[in-house]
Amino acid sequence: MSSVPLPSSCISSTSIIKNHTPKTPFSKPFFTTLSPSFKPINSIKFAPSRNPNRSFVCNSSSTASSPTTNYEFSDGSEEVELRLFIGDDSIQSSKDVFVDADEKFLTIKTKHNGSFRTALELSLYEKIKPAETIWLLDDDQLVLNMKKQDPEVKWPDITETWESLTVGVMQLLKGTSVYLVGESSEINSIVSRELAVGLGYTPLNTEELLETFTKQTVGSLVTAEGSNSVAEAESAILESLSSHIRSVVATIGGKHGAAARGDRWRHLYSGFTVWLSLSEAKDEAEAKEEARRNIQSGGQGYTNADVVVKLSGWDSDYSKAVAQGALSALKQLILSDKKLPGY
């Protein structure tokens, strides 16, 4: 059982980060899990070898409404228990409390001075059976018992946070490595380090490995030998890394690396791939439509990725937010087919 103060602002995955003016506009990632024929922006997409026949939209984090909310949480296998500290003499009976729980969202309101105010509002870590939710008052605590839809899923916490996702996804991955692809080597590298620290994995960087081996920069290699040579050399590195476990691999970004070429993905399929992609979309709807166009065109090797996380801009100060979005997407992907890590 853990006692955790909720942060004052856990921003949802589809919102713009507030109270901050980054170097370029930045929004937290959002994503959709889809079948191979349909892959939108900030989305999860299945590689053809995994071939699911379903799709769903999910968010990477939740909003907690109260800056001082404290709770205790425990996972009892088939159900989870939340003990919310309300500690207010004005709450005399169950009539002073309002609880609304659906499959993935929980709202708790308490009555003060004749009107209800929100005590807690958040997205749940996973799905529950709302009709079987039970709650009661126990001294200064509101106790909720919620039945899981899937008893096999371990809940590290009541909601998705960086801490709960790193613990939960590490268990789900079962040692499978993660590869980051996309247009920017810098973004791939920075986010890979965040993920590696969170998961307890080893961070690896194909650009650094290639430059160490050749004693040249990727730019000079492209000038001297062309993009094909760089992609071929990175493919050889990826082949050697494909037998590694518990690694987060940052690949060469842009059009010169192996990941940009659909015929160079053989060894990337040894793990889960996350496409980190900058977007011009202004909202989630535009982002999804942009991703549809990218995928339907089939012109980029990146469209083979399992998870697509598109960003309205980039600020390295928020690399953990991007990493958290990728973890949430990977969680939903694996839970849709728990055999995936062993494929």
Side-chain angles (χ1 to χ4, degrees), residues 1 73-81 148 151-157:
M1 180 179 290
F73 171 78
S74 60
D75 183 344
S77 185
E78 292 190 358
E79 63 182 25
V80 293
E81 181 181 273
K148 298 180 186 176
E152 294 182 9
V153 178
K154 299 297 183 184
W155 290 35
D157 203 345

Side-chain angles (χ1 to χ4, degrees), residues 153-267:
V153 178
K154 299 297 183 184
W155 290 35
D157 203 345
I158 189 66
T159 190
E160 287 188 352
T161 63
W162 174 252
E163 290 76 14
S164 67
L165 281 168
T166 52
V167 171
V169 175
M170 178 182 64
Q171 294 171 346
L172 292 170
L173 285 171
K174 300 178 182 177
T176 305
S177 292
V178 177
Y179 294 83
L180 302 187
V181 305
E183 297 83 354
S184 170
S185 296
E186 177 194 6
I187 294 176
N188 294 347
S189 179
I190 293 173
V191 176
S192 73
R193 291 196 293 270
E194 292 282 5
L195 285 172
V197 170
L199 294 170
Y201 275 29
T202 301
L204 297 170
N205 187 307
T206 57
E207 181 175 41
E208 292 177 359
L209 292 170
L210 179 59
E211 291 181 346
T212 298
F213 179 75
T214 62
K215 296 181 172 54
Q216 296 183 69
T217 65
V218 167
S220 63
L221 283 169
V222 171
T223 301
E225 302 182 32
S227 293
N228 288 337
S229 294
V230 172
E232 185 176 353
E234 188 184 22
S235 292
I237 292 173
L238 289 169
E239 180 178 8
S240 69
L241 297 180
S242 64
S243 61
H244 287 220
I245 61 172
R246 296 183 178 86
S247 299
V248 181
V249 182
T251 63
I252 295 173
K255 61 183 179 180
H256 303 307
R261 301 158 188 256
D263 60 350
R264 297 281 184 182
W265 271 69
R266 176 182 174 186
H267 302 298

